[in-house]
């Protein structure tokens, strides 16, 4: 399975950006509704204030731009005819499931500027046409469950799963027969902790016009450059993650899970980008010490998109190359099934 990743940010531009990147992934620039947009790494490199909304839906500018960029990356590897699965946080899924399928199951013409990464007579504005043969929409956490059960892990037992995403934290109990709907919970994601960090930093520092993406990167790296000086964030990050766990995660899980769930399940999988923060996963491990066996799969942030791709392969066998697109709040991921798979 081939996976491409780019930051979920964009910015409009009227500049000519010739030869500023090495490839399409790092030179995403598309035209949409009579505007040109830099996307992902190109927006971070050339833009002044790259941004996006949280948990947007089809029809909203943020979704439409990032989705077209993801389709363009998929087309370069999967061809012009493919089937795709996308996901939404559980609460959004219930609202947008049918609408998303109707809006996305169609042909897309994506105009893009290849001069950002190509030279020569063929560089410049080009058009890529893609026919989405089939589109399925599933809850984000269902994507991770599919990946755990049918991907590398091949998990057969009942298990708990917690998805530690940037926009939302979700959890549910998965049985071989399906999820237990009663246990499904969704609440604030790591953005809550990043905003807490921002508030604490502002008490002593002027942050200027740093974007949310820049603050999230600083949060992950454990350091931030303010007024040309590097500031260590590790102690502050530890404090805000503790507060995030105690005030948001713990109460949500306590309300979702009952004693009967622990009687039948002994494993807990942690997925999503938040699974990289040991300060957070250690607190979850301590909460369930002696009760659940905590597991963090390899590349936990890719579990949802791998599940989307696997879902496409299972639902639409033989109907184009299977693709999964994860419109994540921090990064957008595109997974394409290898022919041998």
């Amino acid at each position: 399975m081939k996976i491409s990743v780019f930051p979920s940010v964009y910015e409009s531009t009227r500049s000519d950006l010739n030869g500023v990147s090495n490839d399409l992934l790092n030179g995403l620039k598309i035209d949409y509704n009579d505007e040109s947009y830099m996307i992902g790494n190109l927006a971070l490199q050339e833009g002044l204030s790259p941004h996006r909304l949280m948990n947007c839906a089809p029809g909203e500018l943020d979704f439409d731009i990032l989705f077209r960029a993801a389709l363009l990356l998929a087309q370069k590897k999967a061809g012009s005819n493919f089937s795709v699965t996308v996901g939404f946080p559980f609460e959004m899924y219930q609202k947008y499931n049918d609408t998303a399928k109707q809006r996305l199951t169609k042909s897309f013409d994506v105009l893009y500027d290849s001069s950002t990464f190509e030279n020569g007579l063929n560089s410049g504005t080009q058009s890529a046409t893609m026919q989405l043969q089939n589109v399925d929409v599933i809850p984000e956490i269902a994507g991770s469950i599919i990946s755990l059960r049918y991907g590398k892990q091949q998990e057969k037992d009942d298990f708990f799963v917690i998805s530690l995403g940037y926009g939302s934290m979700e959890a549910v109990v998965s049985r071989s027969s399906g999820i237990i709907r009663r246990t499904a919970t969704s609440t604030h994601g790591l953005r809550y902790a990043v905003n807490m960090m921002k508030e604490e930093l502002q008490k002593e520092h002027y942050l200027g016009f740093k974007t949310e993406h820049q603050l999230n990167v600083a949060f992950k790296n454990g350091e931030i450059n303010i007024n040309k000086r590097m500031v260590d964030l590790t102690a502050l990050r530890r404090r805000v993650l503790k507060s995030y766990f105690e005030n948001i995660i713990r109460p949500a899980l306590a309300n979702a899970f009952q004693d009967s769930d622990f009687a039948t399940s002994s494993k807990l999988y942690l997925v999503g980008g938040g699974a990289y923060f040991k300060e957070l996963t250690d607190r979850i491990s301590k909460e369930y010490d002696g009760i659940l066996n905590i597991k963090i799969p390899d590349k936990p942030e890719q579990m949802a998109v791998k599940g989307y791709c696997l879902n496409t392969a299972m639902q639409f066998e033989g109907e184009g190359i299977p693709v999964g697109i994860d419109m994540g709040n921090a990064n957008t991921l595109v997974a394409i099934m290898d022919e041998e798979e």
Side-chain angles (χ1 to χ4, degrees), residues 105-257:
T105 308
K106 63 177 186 178
S107 176
F108 286 83
D109 291 312
V110 180
L111 293 176
Y112 68 100
D113 184 1
S114 66
S115 64
T116 61
F117 59 93
E118 285 184 345
N119 293 313
L121 295 176
N122 294 325
S123 66
T125 301
Q126 299 189 30
S127 176
T129 300
M130 289 140 282
Q131 177 63 51
L132 300 192
Q133 295 190 24
N134 302 281
V135 175
D136 197 12
V137 180
I138 63 176
E140 283 184 6
I141 202 162
S144 294
I145 290 171
I146 291 171
S147 185
L148 290 167
R149 290 201 177 278
Y150 301 103
K152 181 179 179 181
Q153 279 73 22
Q154 291 289 304
E155 181 58 72
K156 304 300 182 185
D157 298 332
D158 297 348
F159 59 85
F160 296 79
V161 59
I162 299 175
S163 177
L164 300 166
Y166 181 72
S168 61
M169 186 285 295
E170 298 190 304
V172 74
V173 174
S174 171
R175 291 184 174 170
S176 57
S177 57
I179 67 169
I180 301 179
R181 179 64 180 84
R182 166 186 54 78
T183 66
T185 186
S186 182
T187 187
H188 301 288
L190 284 162
R191 188 188 192 197
Y192 179 95
V194 173
N195 284 335
M196 288 182 63
M197 178 196 73
K198 177 182 177 180
E199 292 175 2
E200 290 296 316
L201 283 173
Q202 286 177 326
K203 293 177 181 179
E204 298 182 7
H205 303 279
Y206 172 62
L207 297 181
F209 298 101
K210 292 190 183 299
T211 65
E212 184 172 356
H213 180 84
Q214 289 172 319
L215 291 171
N216 182 39
V217 171
F219 188 83
K220 289 190 290 186
N221 293 339
E223 59 183 16
I224 187 171
N225 194 295
I226 301 176
N227 196 26
K228 303 181 181 66
R229 296 182 182 275
M230 196 63 71
V231 177
D232 189 333
L233 298 177
T234 52
L236 176 56
R237 185 176 67 186
R238 188 181 309 111
R239 292 199 304 272
V240 298
L241 283 174
K242 176 184 177 182
S243 180
Y244 171 53
F245 173 77
E246 293 181 345
N247 293 311
I248 302 297
I249 295 181
R250 177 188 277 165
L253 298 181
N255 289 331
F257 300 151

